[in-house]
Amino acid sequence: MMKEDIPLMFWGVRGTLPVCGKDKVEYGGHTSCASIFSPEGDLIVIDAGSGMKKLADSLVEKAEIKDKIIHILLTHFHLDHVWGLPFFAPLFSDEYTLIFYSDVSSAVVKRHLEKIMSGRLFPVNFSDTPSKKIFKRVSQKGFEIGEAEILSCPLNHPQGCVAYRINSGGGSVVFATDTEHPEKGVDKRLAAFSEGADIFIYDATFTPEDYKSLRKGWGHSTWLAGTEIAMEAKVKDLYLSHFSPDFSDAHIKDILSQAVKEFPRTHAAKEISECSEEEK
Ligand SMILES: [Zn+2]
Ligand SMILES: [Zn+2]
């Protein structure tokens, strides 16, 4: 993949809860958020977890965003995937247009986002923020942002979740966190959806041991299941993400050392690291 054509950045790679500590510096403690600048300069954000604050800071520092439009692909509404939004500076600027994409209706998206930014939970109501907001419902047929094609696929997660595939500039990225693998084999629908992707980002919340003993039915997966579906889908690079808040840097490195034995081109997603940097 010509990664320079799709610079993918991770702004948060934890699931469940932001964490900090000297044993969690290397991979970072923020919850799920990633971004891609398409070759045409469109900014596409996937998930609005706590890492979204760092994305906003980086935009202030450097980027000229095309037409001041930011495309936000929401996977679902569990708090670890939306609680960066109230701290996302462009939300509070009338110069910006935020386009929210989701697999549920506009009314449901608005209701959920207004819930986390209203009442006694947050001092400013979501609907009172000055940015222009547009809501779009995605279908599995896909849609386009500039020249990038975006596809979605349902995942196996309580209250639902979707994976996104972004095909752009000769490369493809699949973002598939918050999903539980089947009892036997791999999720065939997700494998077909991810077929041949250059970058495949997958839910590695639990170790296989924890999953078997305690966490079945919680809607999450393991690094081992990630390597199995990566092989089945013949992806190029697997990025493990959505790490448990309990995982230390050393533990993630240990997981990675086991995973590369199963699927050599496995990486552990790192907060604020460009995919290609790890390969230098
Ligand atoms: Zn999550
Ligand atoms: Zn979730």
Side-chain angles (χ1 to χ4, degrees), residues 61-73:
E61 280 166 24
K62 59 178 166 116
E64 257 309 308
I65 298 171
K66 190 177 163 191
D67 302 327
K68 297 235 187 280
I69 296 173
I70 301 176
H71 303 268
I72 302 172
L73 309 181

Side-chain angles (χ1 to χ4, degrees), residues 222-265:
T222 70
W223 64 263
L224 183 58
T227 61
E228 287 165 357
I229 192 166
M231 272 183 271
E232 171 95 8
K234 298 185 179 63
V235 303
K236 191 169 169 198
D237 287 276
L238 164 65
Y239 280 78
L240 303 172
S241 190
H242 202 277
F243 296 116
S244 160
D246 297 328
F247 287 180
S248 66
D249 290 331
H251 191 48
I252 293 173
K253 278 183 190 159
D254 182 50
I255 283 168
L256 185 58
S257 71
Q258 296 177 69
V260 294
K261 288 178 195 152
E262 305 294 327
F263 188 80
R265 292 185 69 113

Side-chain angles (χ1 to χ4, degrees), residues 73-120:
L73 309 181
L74 297 169
T75 60
H76 65 313
F77 296 90
H78 286 164
L79 285 174
D80 50 329
H81 297 259
V82 292
W83 58 21
L85 188 65
F87 308 96
F88 188 57
L91 180 67
F92 298 87
S93 166
D94 61 7
E95 292 182 7
Y96 283 90
T97 299
L98 306 186
I99 307 181
F100 294 93
Y101 301 83
S102 167
D103 67 327
V104 296
S105 72
S106 304
V108 172
V109 175
K110 275 188 231 172
R111 193 165 72 234
H112 286 312
L113 298 182
E114 278 168 4
K115 219 181 260 180
I116 60 168
M117 290 183 69
S118 65
R120 294 192 173 194

Side-chain angles (χ1 to χ4, degrees), residues 26 38 49-50 60 90 99 117 124 128 142 147-148 154 159 168-169 177 230-231 263 268 273:
E26 193 170 336
S38 76
S50 69
V60 170
I99 307 181
M117 290 183 69
V124 183
D128 292 339
E147 308 236 325
Q159 293 88 44
S168 175
T177 73
M231 272 183 271
F263 188 80
S273 72

Side-chain angles (χ1 to χ4, degrees), residues 51-239:
M52 201 184 205
K53 162 77 168 67
K54 287 179 123 172
L55 167 61
D57 295 345
S58 86
L59 296 177
V60 170
E61 280 166 24
K62 59 178 166 116
E64 257 309 308
I65 298 171
K66 190 177 163 191
D67 302 327
K68 297 235 187 280
I69 296 173
I70 301 176
H71 303 268
I72 302 172
L73 309 181
L74 297 169
T75 60
H76 65 313
F77 296 90
H78 286 164
L79 285 174
D80 50 329
H81 297 259
V82 292
W83 58 21
L85 188 65
F87 308 96
F88 188 57
L91 180 67
F92 298 87
S93 166
D94 61 7
E95 292 182 7
Y96 283 90
T97 299
L98 306 186
I99 307 181
F100 294 93
Y101 301 83
S102 167
D103 67 327
V104 296
S105 72
S106 304
V108 172
V109 175
K110 275 188 231 172
R111 193 165 72 234
H112 286 312
L113 298 182
E114 278 168 4
K115 219 181 260 180
I116 60 168
M117 290 183 69
S118 65
R120 294 192 173 194
L121 293 182
F122 198 78
V124 183
N125 286 1
F126 175 73
S127 51
D128 292 339
T129 55
S131 54
K132 184 170 179 220
K133 299 160 196 71
I134 295 169
F135 299 89
K136 294 191 178 180
R137 187 171 191 168
V138 304
S139 74
Q140 288 174 46
K141 278 189 285 180
F143 59 99
E144 283 170 3
I145 296 175
E147 308 236 325
E149 179 193 30
I150 319 288
L151 300 162
S152 63
C153 172
L155 294 172
N156 180 26
H157 194 61
Q159 293 88 44
C161 183
V162 287
Y164 287 104
R165 178 171 182 141
I166 299 158
N167 298 321
S168 175
S172 51
V173 176
V174 172
F175 190 96
T177 73
D178 294 63
T179 193
E180 183 161 352
H181 52 281
E183 187 82 30
K184 283 197 182 128
V186 301
D187 179 342
K188 296 279 181 197
R189 182 170 55 184
L190 179 59
F193 178 76
S194 309
E195 183 76 35
D198 296 292
I199 293 178
F200 178 59
I201 301 158
Y202 189 74
D203 183 334
T205 304
F206 302 130
T207 62
E209 297 75 28
D210 283 347
Y211 176 77
K212 266 190 214 138
S213 62
L214 291 165
R215 306 286 188 247
K216 272 190 191 173
W218 286 35
H220 292 290
S221 195
T222 70
W223 64 263
L224 183 58
T227 61
E228 287 165 357
I229 192 166
M231 272 183 271
E232 171 95 8
K234 298 185 179 63
V235 303
K236 191 169 169 198
D237 287 276
L238 164 65
Y239 280 78

